[in-house]
Amino acid sequence: MTTVVKVEEKLYVNRYLVDAGRPHIKVRPHETPSAALVALTHVCPAGCYSTNDRGQVEVTPDGCMECGTCRVLTADGGEIEWNYPRGGYGVLFKFG
Ligand code: SF4
């Protein structure tokens, strides 16, 4: 018999160590978000991007899986600054 495991259940076993005060992703200051920034509020699999009450896009990279989607989508426009977390911080994937 095959056991079906949902993606959400697999993601739940990952662990994330926050590097307090040193986010590895930053959104560059903007008045009106580009289409790419708005898209990130929908496509980030970890839900790290949101829109604030002024209509600007913000990022809270806690839980980021380092998939690179936001990095690719903003490669042309340069809307974000993206670095890997420092050693020992960030996502810890658990498989099995
Ligand atoms: S790298 Fe992936 S998971 Fe991390 S903030 Fe960007 S889109 Fe979200």
Side-chain angles (χ1 to χ4, degrees):
M1 183 174 145
T2 304
T3 303
V4 177
V5 180
K6 293 181 179 177
V7 171
E8 291 81 1
E9 293 171 354
K10 289 190 173 220
L11 292 176
Y12 183 73
V13 300
N14 293 333
R15 293 294 173 258
Y16 191 90
L17 186 59
V18 175
D19 193 358
R22 300 184 67 157
H24 70 283
I25 304 172
K26 297 175 184 172
V27 175
R28 297 192 196 284
H30 59 278
E31 289 297 322
T32 305
S34 66
L37 279 178
V38 173
L40 294 180
T41 66
H42 302 288
V43 302
C44 171
C48 294
Y49 290 87
S50 61
T51 304
N52 65 23
D53 56 7
R54 294 181 305 280
Q56 298 157 338
V57 172
E58 299 176 331
V59 63
T60 304
D62 303 358
C64 167
M65 293 176 279
E66 300 171 26
C67 70
T69 300
C70 57
R71 193 174 186 180
V72 170
L73 281 180
T74 59
D76 289 340
E79 293 94 332
I80 67 170
E81 181 183 327
W82 200 104
N83 295 286
Y84 283 105
R86 288 193 299 159
Y89 293 95
V91 68
L92 172 63
F93 291 105
K94 294 187 176 181
F95 300 99

